[in-house]
């Protein structure tokens, strides 16, 4: 019974080497094999991993993924509080339900008394002449039995080890990708064939929120300010969070940069928007965060023949004014306002103007700075 765990006997005895929630250190545990006794609910069990030189065992609440226990899949062992400890290949484990625990202050004295009685009986029979120690084989057999039993228990060939094992840990990892053009954040989960994705929610924290709390007093409780994002499950391991344009506008309006002369020729300001996601799995809840990064940049104004193309590389719309100066006549021939959409462009065509050279000035306000872009267009 002491080595039954290695051979998957119906009943097993194991000595614990550390404390657990259900028994104390050095307790003698009695377990029934999983194939002999299956509890209705998941319970505190003994999971033994069969190895070449030892068979370490661990206690906790087990969860079987795939074929239960012996025969395939994974056996996931938790710490009893819902936290994942590790996962073992179901082909190499033995599962026993702990049905009784005998504390050391009971079984150790009983074992001492048992061997003491055997020793006394042996000594008494020898004294009365019934046995001759050096000639009786049963005396040697008894001595060998005592030595083997003590060796098995004291050396610890059978034990319950509560330490973190060296085996495969089925963690969860995530790979992020962000596309500014269509404003989508993609999260691809690596579930290691252990977990199943059930649901996912993502949110962001607006500017002015520090450590989950609003610094401007606009808080919705102790959890701080969270703004949910539309989150879609694409497949069994991929989700897509859609970032609305209002998020960029909020960060854009929060960025106030004082104009510092001389005004830099090209504006490039780094921005980072924190996004948080919670993935509900069948056996756990996985949380992760990602920083959406991009740059606030100047408008790009270029001439293409008689046309002026104004491109906006920012995820927010920009209001601008356009002025056309006739260099030959020396006065403005056109002035108007326009809005360049987010990540879009506007085209201003001068082909209907009289032949000559025109200077096109595009002015706009960008993060507190009044910016100008100038190009010259020749109309023939």
């Amino acid at each position: 019974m002491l080595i039954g765990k290695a051979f998957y006997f119906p009943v097993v005895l194991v000595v614990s080497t550390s404390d657990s929630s259900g028994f104390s250190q050095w307790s003698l545990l009695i377990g029934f094999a999983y194939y002999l006794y299956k509890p209705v609910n998941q319970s505190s069990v003994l999971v033994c991993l069969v190895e070449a030189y030892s068979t370490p065992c661990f206690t906790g609440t087990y969860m079987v993924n795939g074929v239960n226990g012996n025969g395939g899949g994974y056996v996931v062992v938790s710490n009893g509080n819902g936290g994942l400890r590790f996962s073992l290949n179901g082909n190499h484990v033995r599962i026993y339900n702990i049905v009784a625990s005998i504390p050391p202050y009971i079984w150790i004295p009983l074992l001492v008394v048992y061997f003491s009685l055997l020793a006394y009986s042996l000594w008494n029979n020898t004294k009365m002449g019934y046995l001759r120690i050096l000639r009786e084989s049963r005396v040697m057999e008894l001595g060998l039995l005592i030595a083997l039993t003590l060796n098995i228990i004291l050396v610890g060939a059978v034990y319950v080890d509560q330490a973190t094992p060296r085996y495969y840990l089925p963690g969860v990892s995530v790979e992020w990708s962000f596309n500014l053009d269509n404003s989508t954040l993609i999260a691809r989960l690596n579930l290691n064939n252990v977990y199943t994705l059930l649901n996912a929610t993502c949110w962001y924290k607006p500017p002015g929120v520090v450590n989950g709390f609003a610094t401007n007093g606009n808080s919705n409780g102790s959890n701080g300010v969270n703004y949910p994002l539309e989150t879609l499950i694409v497949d069994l391991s991929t989700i897509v969070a859609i970032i609305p344009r209002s998020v960029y506008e909020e960060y854009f309006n929060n960025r106030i940069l004082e104009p510092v002369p001389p005004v830099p020729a090209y504006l490039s300001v780094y921005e980072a928007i924190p996004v948080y996601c919670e993935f509900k799995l069948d056996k756990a809840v996985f949380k992760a965060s990602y920083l959406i990064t991009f740059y606030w940049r100047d408008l790009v104004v270029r001439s293409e023949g008689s046309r002026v193309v104004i491109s906006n590389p920012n995820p927010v719309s920009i209001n601008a004014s356009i002025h056309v100066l006739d260099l030959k006549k020396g006065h403005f021939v056109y002035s108007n306002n326009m809005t360049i959409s987010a990540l879009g462009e506007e085209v201003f065509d001068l082909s209907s103007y009289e032949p000559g050279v025109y200077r096109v000035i595009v002015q706009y306000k960008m993060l507190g700075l009044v910016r100008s872009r100038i190009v010259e267009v020749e109309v023939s």
Side-chain angles (χ1 to χ4, degrees):
M1 293 174 68
L2 289 170
I3 60 175
K5 65 190 180 93
F7 297 96
Y8 215 3
F9 289 169
V11 183
V12 66
L13 295 180
V14 177
V15 179
S16 171
T17 59
S18 59
D19 292 325
S20 182
S21 58
F23 46 84
S24 59
Q25 189 176 18
W26 307 116
S27 295
L28 184 64
L29 307 181
I30 302 175
F32 286 170
Y34 185 77
Y35 63 81
L36 184 67
Y37 170 70
K38 295 182 180 180
V40 178
N41 300 319
Q42 296 175 352
S43 60
S44 181
V45 298
L46 190 68
V47 178
C48 300
L49 177 64
V50 179
E51 292 185 326
Y53 300 105
S54 65
T55 307
C57 300
F58 315 95
T59 58
T61 301
Y62 78 99
M63 296 171 285
V64 178
N65 181 18
V67 181
N68 58 17
N70 186 33
Y74 286 93
V75 175
V76 181
V77 180
S78 74
N79 59 11
N81 298 321
L84 178 65
R85 288 187 60 197
F86 55 90
S87 176
L88 301 173
N89 192 320
N91 292 311
H92 305 292
V93 299
R94 307 284 187 259
I95 299 179
Y96 298 92
N97 297 289
I98 301 174
V99 296
S101 172
I102 304 175
Y105 58 82
I106 294 179
W107 74 268
I108 291 180
L110 288 177
L111 188 66
V112 172
V113 171
Y114 169 73
F115 281 121
S116 299
L117 291 176
L118 286 180
Y120 174 77
S121 175
L122 175 63
W123 175 80
N124 191 42
N125 288 337
T126 303
K127 183 179 179 181
M128 297 180 64
Y130 298 138
L131 294 176
R132 295 180 181 180
I133 297 179
L134 300 179
R135 296 182 181 180
E136 294 288 344
S137 60
R138 50 182 170 170
V139 176
M140 301 298 296
E141 293 172 359
L142 179 59
L144 182 61
L145 173 63
I146 295 175
L148 287 176
T149 304
L150 292 177
N151 180 74
I152 289 175
I153 295 176
L154 298 179
V155 174
V158 286
Y159 59 92
V160 179
D161 187 2
Q162 294 293 326
T164 302
R166 329 180 277 280
Y167 313 113
Y168 168 70
L169 299 174
V172 179
S173 60
V174 58
E175 295 181 0
W176 302 93
S177 60
F178 173 66
N179 191 325
L180 185 62
D181 292 335
N182 55 22
S183 192
T184 56
L185 177 64
I186 301 175
R188 294 180 176 86
L189 296 171
N190 181 14
L191 302 177
N192 293 302
N193 296 321
V194 175
Y195 305 99
T196 301
L197 178 61
L198 302 179
N199 195 9
T201 55
C202 295
W203 64 92
Y204 82 99
K205 293 187 183 299
V209 174
V210 179
N211 295 328
F213 296 93
T215 58
N216 56 9
N218 182 22
S219 174
N220 63 358
S222 60
N223 292 328
V225 181
N226 294 329
Y227 286 75
L229 300 173
E230 183 180 359
T231 307
L232 307 175
I233 298 180
V234 178
D235 54 39
L236 298 178
S237 60
T238 304
I239 68 103
V240 173
I242 300 175
I243 315 298
R245 295 298 175 188
S246 59
V247 175
Y248 306 108
E249 293 174 358
E250 188 172 6
Y251 275 83
F252 182 76
N253 295 329
N254 189 68
R255 279 254 184 209
I256 303 298
L257 299 180
E258 295 295 334
V260 179
V263 177
Y266 296 98
L267 184 67
S268 180
V269 178
Y270 176 84
E271 185 66 270
I273 301 177
V275 174
Y276 306 85
C277 293
E278 180 178 283
F279 307 95
K280 292 184 178 180
L281 312 176
D282 57 339
K283 302 181 182 69
V285 176
F286 177 64
K287 297 180 180 180
S289 61
Y290 180 77
L291 278 179
I292 295 176
T293 59
F294 58 93
Y295 289 88
W296 301 114
R297 300 185 185 276
D298 274 319
L299 297 182
V300 178
V301 181
R302 66 184 187 275
S303 61
E304 296 180 354
S306 62
R307 302 190 311 164
V308 175
V309 180
I310 307 170
S311 300
N312 180 15
N314 302 287
V316 296
S317 59
I318 301 295
N319 295 321
S321 61
I322 183 169
H323 309 279
V324 180
L325 175 63
D326 189 335
L327 295 180
K328 182 178 180 180
K329 297 180 180 179
H331 62 82
F332 288 98
V333 296
Y334 179 84
S335 294
N336 202 354
N337 297 322
M338 65 171 55
T339 299
I340 303 92
S341 60
L343 302 175
E345 64 180 23
E346 294 290 333
V347 177
F348 184 76
D349 194 356
L350 283 75
S351 59
S352 60
Y353 282 52
E354 296 179 359
V357 179
Y358 297 88
R359 178 171 294 167
V360 179
I361 304 172
V362 179
Q363 291 183 331
Y364 56 95
K365 191 174 183 179
M366 183 73 175
L367 300 178
L369 299 174
V370 177
R371 315 288 289 172
S372 297
R373 287 291 174 265
I374 301 175
V375 295
E376 292 186 358
V377 178
E378 182 177 355
V379 179
S380 56

